[in-house]
């Protein structure tokens, strides 16, 4: 297993996100990606989402990506608030790790990190060193 720090840089190539800063969150079951606006639409008989996001922290630069809907789930955040979230499944590249992960989508504009890496994505792949940061590389 690969040791990672409490924050890392990753890539979501299928969403054309070349670099995203993520918090490694062992308290979160699922991984989460920032989206300030979602537009559901249909493509070839399947439900898809147009995802509007700000990929960089402290920036209002918008990026729009599209992904098929994988699921909708009830998620309770760290503040105890429950909401129904869309779930997508997309590739995550994190060091040598390159696999599909499930991401719930919610507005994280007020949060420091645009993505959380949760336990489901980490299980069997990573060990977390809570004192370390960016063990897989700095921002490029």
């Amino acid at each position: 297993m690969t040791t990672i720090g409490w924050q890392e840089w990753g890539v979501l190539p299928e969403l054309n996100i070349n670099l995203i800063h993520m918090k490694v969150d062992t308290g979160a079951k699922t991984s989460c990606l920032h989206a300030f606006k979602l537009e559901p639409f249909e493509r070839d008989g399947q439900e898809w989402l147009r995802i509007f996001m700000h990929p960089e922290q402290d920036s209002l630069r918008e990026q729009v990506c599209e992904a098929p809907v994988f699921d909708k789930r009830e998620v309770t955040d760290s503040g105890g608030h429950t909401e129904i979230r869309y779930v997508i499944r997309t590739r995550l590249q994190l060091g040598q790790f390159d696999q599909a992960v499930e991401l719930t989508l919610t507005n994280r504009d007020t949060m420091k990190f645009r993505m959380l890496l949760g336990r489901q994505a980490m299980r069997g792949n990573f060990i977390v060193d809570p004192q370390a940061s960016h063990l897989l590389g700095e921002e490029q």
Side-chain angles (χ1 to χ4, degrees), residues 12-17 33-35 37-44 46-53 63-72 86-91 101-105:
L12 299 168
E14 295 171 338
L15 301 179
N16 293 318
I17 298 173
L33 181 64
H34 166 67
K37 180 178 165 186
L38 298 170
E39 287 181 355
F41 66 97
E42 190 173 301
R43 179 179 288 162
D44 300 325
Q46 184 178 8
E47 188 176 15
W48 279 64
L49 287 172
R50 191 163 291 115
I51 304 161
F52 296 79
M53 68 169 308
Q63 183 165 336
V64 180
C65 32
E66 296 179 348
V69 173
F70 180 73
D71 197 6
K72 292 179 191 172
Y86 283 101
V87 181
I88 62 170
R89 190 167 165 80
T90 192
R91 274 179 50 222
V101 296
E102 294 178 11
L103 300 173
T104 65
L105 302 171

Side-chain angles (χ1 to χ4, degrees), residues 1-9 22-26 92 94-97 117-118 121-123 125-137:
M1 285 200 276
T2 303
T3 300
I4 58 176
W6 73 272
Q7 59 182 331
E8 293 291 345
W9 292 99
M22 67 186 74
K23 178 182 178 182
V24 176
D25 189 350
T26 60
L92 168 64
L94 184 57
Q96 297 299 311
F97 178 85
L117 184 67
M122 288 186 265
R123 187 173 292 128
N125 298 297
F126 300 109
I127 296 171
V128 181
D129 179 348
Q131 296 180 24
S133 293
H134 309 117
L135 293 178
L136 303 181

